Amino acid sequence: MSLLRANQLGVTQGDRELIKGLDFTLEGGSLCAVLGANGSGKSSLLAVLAGLEPAQAGEVLLDDTPITALPRRQVAQRLGLLLQEQHDPFPATLHEALLAGLHPHIGPWQHESAEQLARAEALLQEMQLGPLASHPIATLSGGERQRLALATLLLQDPPLMLLDEPTNHLDLGHQITTLKRLRTQADNGYGILVVLHDPTLAARFCDRALLLYGDGRHESGAASQMLQAERLGRLYGHPLNRLEGPHGPVFIAD
């Protein structure tokens, strides 16, 4: 049983047909990169796959059930979404915001268990946010806020994770740490779909890739097959050169 399946999915933006007839499956144990030029439909696709926006055609299945037929609480127990930008409408401390990741697993009038609180504390330390736990989230930098969002998703602990540019605002060290963490999650049986802008990072950490051309066309397959300089040049409308690095291919714009 697949964690996520799109059948003949269509995604439009205004009068633009971004994605047409997408058949796509994500299994547990896979880390799949979504790549494409600006405006090609990457964020729109994630919103449709998460059930936040309607598809213009086709359907999205979560655990072989149409996502539109599932209660949102059940969806949140199975699927987690990290958005490209974080917006916090209510004031809270970092620690309070992190515990929001437990909401799908806690019933009305229930409190967090000692085990859940210990997991939250461990994630704060892992993300190097421990000393900031009592700080208002409004005082965090963009990179700190992004690491908090990732910690919240990991605390939610859904088997399926959709992440829109999780390396956004992160310095080089935290970019690598974040993608190593996602690779470990996938190796432990999670299914992860991640929007990336850097094909070098995608080639290093992802086993599959979905390419969106922004005009309805798309390609998907093994990362080693999809992430080739000629194909990526067509995707981005600019020639790329491929070099061999110590961790796999490195792609440089011509």
Side-chain angles (χ1 to χ4, degrees):
M1 183 174 66
S2 60
L3 293 177
L4 179 72
R5 188 163 80 246
N7 291 335
Q8 287 295 296
L9 200 66
V11 177
T12 63
Q13 193 69 259
D15 60 352
R16 296 175 58 207
E17 186 176 46
L18 301 175
I19 302 170
K20 180 179 180 180
L22 174 64
D23 289 320
F24 176 79
T25 300
L26 185 65
E27 306 283 353
S30 180
L31 176 55
C32 179
V34 182
L35 300 172
N38 293 340
S40 59
K42 302 182 296 298
S43 297
S44 297
L45 174 62
L46 260 61
V48 170
L49 293 177
L52 300 181
E53 298 288 344
Q56 276 63 55
E59 63 177 352
V60 176
L61 303 178
L62 182 61
D63 295 334
D64 288 343
T65 301
I67 195 169
T68 53
L70 295 171
R72 289 309 302 179
R73 182 179 180 85
Q74 187 174 342
V75 171
Q77 292 170 348
R78 301 293 298 166
L79 181 154
L81 175 66
L82 187 149
L83 298 173
Q84 186 178 139
E85 298 289 343
Q86 312 305 323
H87 301 285
D88 303 293
F90 303 108
T93 66
L94 186 151
H95 187 260
E96 290 167 340
L98 172 65
L99 294 182
L102 293 173
H103 287 178
H105 308 288
I106 297 178
W109 312 112
Q110 286 186 325
H111 295 285
E112 301 87 358
S113 68
E115 180 182 356
Q116 289 171 327
L117 291 174
R119 284 187 56 234
E121 177 61 29
L123 283 167
L124 284 181
Q125 299 303 323
E126 179 184 346
M127 297 295 161
Q128 300 178 0
L129 294 170
L132 303 176
S134 62
H135 288 218
I137 52 177
T139 66
L140 301 180
S141 70
E144 291 165 343
R145 187 64 189 84
Q146 191 73 346
R147 281 147 51 203
L148 172 60
L150 179 60
T152 304
L153 178 64
L154 293 172
L155 186 62
Q156 180 185 343
D157 197 34
L160 172 64
M161 298 181 179
L162 311 179
L163 300 97
D164 194 353
E165 297 187 40
T167 58
N168 195 23
H169 300 302
L170 297 184
D171 58 49
L172 282 174
H174 283 112
Q175 288 181 30
I176 299 300
T177 299
T178 294
L179 289 170
K180 283 183 176 179
R181 185 59 154 89
L182 295 178
R183 181 68 259 173
T184 298
Q185 289 289 116
D187 291 340
N188 287 330
Y190 292 71
I192 302 178
L193 190 66
V194 54
V195 172
L196 293 173
H197 275 300
D198 188 340
T200 297
L201 291 177
R204 177 173 176 179
F205 292 102
C206 299
D207 50 88
R208 294 186 62 201
L210 169 62
L211 310 185
L212 302 180
Y213 288 87
D215 57 1
R217 293 179 300 139
H218 45 80
E219 295 181 285
S220 64
S224 58
Q225 175 188 2
M226 292 292 105
L227 303 180
Q228 298 292 333
E230 183 177 350
R231 178 178 271 116
L232 291 171
R234 294 195 300 269
L235 181 72
Y236 293 113
H238 190 91
L240 277 77
N241 295 308
R242 172 179 170 138
L243 306 175
E244 296 304 321
H247 299 292
V250 176
F251 297 98
I252 300 175
D254 198 341

Short mmCIF file of all heavy atoms in Angstrom, two decimals, residues 2-27:
data_model
loop_
_atom_site.label_atom_id
_atom_site.label_comp_id
_atom_site.label_asym_id
_atom_site.label_seq_id
_atom_site.Cartn_x
_atom_site.Cartn_y
_atom_site.Cartn_z
N SER A 2 0.62 2.14 -0.94
CA SER A 2 1.39 3.38 -1.02
C SER A 2 0.91 4.36 0.04
O SER A 2 -0.25 4.38 0.43
CB SER A 2 1.25 4.00 -2.41
OG SER A 2 -0.11 4.30 -2.67
N LEU A 3 1.83 5.20 0.52
CA LEU A 3 1.45 6.25 1.45
C LEU A 3 0.66 7.35 0.75
O LEU A 3 -0.29 7.90 1.31
CB LEU A 3 2.70 6.85 2.10
CG LEU A 3 3.50 5.94 3.03
CD1 LEU A 3 4.75 6.67 3.52
CD2 LEU A 3 2.66 5.50 4.22
N LEU A 4 1.07 7.67 -0.47
CA LEU A 4 0.46 8.77 -1.22
C LEU A 4 0.41 8.39 -2.69
O LEU A 4 1.38 7.87 -3.24
CB LEU A 4 1.28 10.05 -1.04
CG LEU A 4 0.79 11.30 -1.79
CD1 LEU A 4 -0.47 11.84 -1.12
CD2 LEU A 4 1.88 12.37 -1.79
N ARG A 5 -0.73 8.66 -3.33
CA ARG A 5 -0.83 8.40 -4.76
C ARG A 5 -1.65 9.49 -5.43
O ARG A 5 -2.72 9.87 -4.92
CB ARG A 5 -1.45 7.03 -5.03
CG ARG A 5 -1.39 6.63 -6.50
CD ARG A 5 -1.62 5.15 -6.72
NE ARG A 5 -3.03 4.80 -6.68
CZ ARG A 5 -3.60 4.05 -5.76
NH1 ARG A 5 -2.87 3.57 -4.76
NH2 ARG A 5 -4.88 3.76 -5.80
N ALA A 6 -1.15 10.00 -6.52
CA ALA A 6 -1.88 10.95 -7.36
C ALA A 6 -2.26 10.25 -8.65
O ALA A 6 -1.41 9.65 -9.31
CB ALA A 6 -1.01 12.17 -7.66
N ASN A 7 -3.54 10.33 -8.99
CA ASN A 7 -4.05 9.71 -10.21
C ASN A 7 -4.51 10.78 -11.18
O ASN A 7 -5.47 11.51 -10.88
CB ASN A 7 -5.21 8.76 -9.89
CG ASN A 7 -4.78 7.54 -9.12
OD1 ASN A 7 -3.63 7.12 -9.18
ND2 ASN A 7 -5.70 6.96 -8.37
N GLN A 8 -3.80 10.90 -12.32
CA GLN A 8 -4.19 11.83 -13.38
C GLN A 8 -4.47 13.23 -12.82
O GLN A 8 -5.46 13.89 -13.18
CB GLN A 8 -5.40 11.30 -14.13
CG GLN A 8 -5.10 10.13 -15.05
CD GLN A 8 -4.16 10.53 -16.19
OE1 GLN A 8 -4.50 11.35 -17.04
NE2 GLN A 8 -2.96 9.96 -16.19
N LEU A 9 -3.59 13.69 -11.96
CA LEU A 9 -3.78 14.94 -11.24
C LEU A 9 -3.54 16.14 -12.14
O LEU A 9 -2.60 16.18 -12.93
CB LEU A 9 -2.81 15.00 -10.05
CG LEU A 9 -3.16 15.98 -8.93
CD1 LEU A 9 -4.44 15.54 -8.24
CD2 LEU A 9 -2.02 16.06 -7.93
N GLY A 10 -4.43 17.12 -12.03
CA GLY A 10 -4.28 18.37 -12.76
C GLY A 10 -4.24 19.54 -11.79
O GLY A 10 -5.06 19.63 -10.88
N VAL A 11 -3.27 20.45 -11.99
CA VAL A 11 -3.12 21.62 -11.13
C VAL A 11 -3.02 22.85 -12.03
O VAL A 11 -2.18 22.89 -12.94
CB VAL A 11 -1.87 21.52 -10.24
CG1 VAL A 11 -1.69 22.79 -9.40
CG2 VAL A 11 -1.95 20.29 -9.34
N THR A 12 -3.87 23.84 -11.77
CA THR A 12 -3.82 25.08 -12.54
C THR A 12 -3.68 26.26 -11.60
O THR A 12 -3.98 26.17 -10.41
CB THR A 12 -5.09 25.27 -13.38
OG1 THR A 12 -6.22 25.38 -12.51
CG2 THR A 12 -5.29 24.11 -14.34
N GLN A 13 -3.22 27.37 -12.15
CA GLN A 13 -3.12 28.64 -11.41
C GLN A 13 -3.68 29.71 -12.33
O GLN A 13 -3.04 30.09 -13.31
CB GLN A 13 -1.66 28.93 -11.07
CG GLN A 13 -1.46 30.04 -10.06
CD GLN A 13 -1.94 29.67 -8.67
OE1 GLN A 13 -3.02 30.09 -8.29
NE2 GLN A 13 -1.16 28.91 -7.94
N GLY A 14 -4.90 30.17 -12.01
CA GLY A 14 -5.55 31.09 -12.93
C GLY A 14 -5.85 30.37 -14.24
O GLY A 14 -6.49 29.32 -14.25
N ASP A 15 -5.38 30.93 -15.34
CA ASP A 15 -5.59 30.30 -16.64
C ASP A 15 -4.38 29.48 -17.09
O ASP A 15 -4.31 29.04 -18.23
CB ASP A 15 -5.93 31.35 -17.70
CG ASP A 15 -4.82 32.38 -17.88
OD1 ASP A 15 -3.85 32.37 -17.08
OD2 ASP A 15 -4.92 33.21 -18.80
N ARG A 16 -3.42 29.26 -16.17
CA ARG A 16 -2.21 28.50 -16.50
C ARG A 16 -2.36 27.05 -16.05
O ARG A 16 -2.65 26.77 -14.89
CB ARG A 16 -0.99 29.11 -15.83
CG ARG A 16 -0.64 30.52 -16.28
CD ARG A 16 0.51 31.05 -15.45
NE ARG A 16 1.68 30.20 -15.54
CZ ARG A 16 2.61 30.10 -14.59
NH1 ARG A 16 2.49 30.79 -13.47
NH2 ARG A 16 3.64 29.32 -14.76
N GLU A 17 -2.16 26.13 -16.97
CA GLU A 17 -2.16 24.71 -16.65
C GLU A 17 -0.73 24.32 -16.26
O GLU A 17 0.14 24.16 -17.12
CB GLU A 17 -2.65 23.88 -17.83
CG GLU A 17 -2.79 22.41 -17.50
CD GLU A 17 -3.37 21.62 -18.66
OE1 GLU A 17 -2.90 21.82 -19.80
OE2 GLU A 17 -4.29 20.82 -18.42
N LEU A 18 -0.47 24.17 -14.96
CA LEU A 18 0.87 23.90 -14.48
C LEU A 18 1.22 22.42 -14.56
O LEU A 18 2.34 22.06 -14.94
CB LEU A 18 1.01 24.38 -13.03
CG LEU A 18 0.77 25.87 -12.78
CD1 LEU A 18 0.82 26.17 -11.29
CD2 LEU A 18 1.80 26.70 -13.54
N ILE A 19 0.27 21.57 -14.19
CA ILE A 19 0.51 20.13 -14.14
C ILE A 19 -0.68 19.43 -14.77
O ILE A 19 -1.83 19.72 -14.43
CB ILE A 19 0.71 19.64 -12.69
CG1 ILE A 19 1.88 20.37 -12.04
CG2 ILE A 19 0.94 18.12 -12.66
CD1 ILE A 19 1.99 20.12 -10.54
N LYS A 20 -0.45 18.52 -15.68
CA LYS A 20 -1.52 17.81 -16.37
C LYS A 20 -1.28 16.31 -16.31
O LYS A 20 -0.19 15.82 -16.64
CB LYS A 20 -1.59 18.27 -17.83
CG LYS A 20 -2.69 17.57 -18.65
CD LYS A 20 -2.71 18.09 -20.08
CE LYS A 20 -3.80 17.40 -20.89
NZ LYS A 20 -3.83 17.89 -22.29
N GLY A 21 -2.28 15.56 -15.86
CA GLY A 21 -2.24 14.10 -15.92
C GLY A 21 -1.11 13.48 -15.13
O GLY A 21 -0.49 12.51 -15.59
N LEU A 22 -0.86 13.97 -13.92
CA LEU A 22 0.23 13.44 -13.11
C LEU A 22 -0.18 12.15 -12.43
O LEU A 22 -1.13 12.12 -11.63
CB LEU A 22 0.66 14.46 -12.06
CG LEU A 22 1.72 13.98 -11.05
CD1 LEU A 22 3.03 13.65 -11.75
CD2 LEU A 22 1.93 15.02 -9.95
N ASP A 23 0.52 11.07 -12.72
CA ASP A 23 0.42 9.81 -11.99
C ASP A 23 1.69 9.67 -11.17
O ASP A 23 2.80 9.62 -11.72
CB ASP A 23 0.29 8.63 -12.94
CG ASP A 23 -1.07 8.59 -13.63
OD1 ASP A 23 -2.08 8.87 -12.96
OD2 ASP A 23 -1.12 8.28 -14.84
N PHE A 24 1.54 9.62 -9.87
CA PHE A 24 2.70 9.65 -8.99
C PHE A 24 2.40 8.86 -7.72
O PHE A 24 1.30 8.95 -7.17
CB PHE A 24 3.06 11.09 -8.64
CG PHE A 24 4.19 11.24 -7.67
CD1 PHE A 24 5.50 11.11 -8.09
CD2 PHE A 24 3.94 11.48 -6.32
CE1 PHE A 24 6.54 11.23 -7.19
CE2 PHE A 24 4.98 11.61 -5.41
CZ PHE A 24 6.29 11.48 -5.85
N THR A 25 3.38 8.08 -7.28
CA THR A 25 3.24 7.29 -6.06
C THR A 25 4.45 7.51 -5.17
O THR A 25 5.58 7.55 -5.65
CB THR A 25 3.12 5.78 -6.38
OG1 THR A 25 1.97 5.58 -7.21
CG2 THR A 25 2.97 4.96 -5.12
N LEU A 26 4.18 7.67 -3.87
CA LEU A 26 5.27 7.79 -2.90
C LEU A 26 5.12 6.67 -1.88
O LEU A 26 4.09 6.55 -1.21
CB LEU A 26 5.22 9.15 -2.19
CG LEU A 26 6.39 9.43 -1.23
CD1 LEU A 26 7.71 9.51 -1.99
CD2 LEU A 26 6.14 10.71 -0.45
N GLU A 27 6.17 5.86 -1.79
CA GLU A 27 6.18 4.75 -0.84
C GLU A 27 7.01 5.11 0.38
O GLU A 27 7.84 6.01 0.35
CB GLU A 27 6.80 3.51 -1.52
CG GLU A 27 6.16 3.10 -2.83
CD GLU A 27 4.84 2.38 -2.64
OE1 GLU A 27 4.50 2.09 -1.48
OE2 GLU A 27 4.17 2.10 -3.65
#
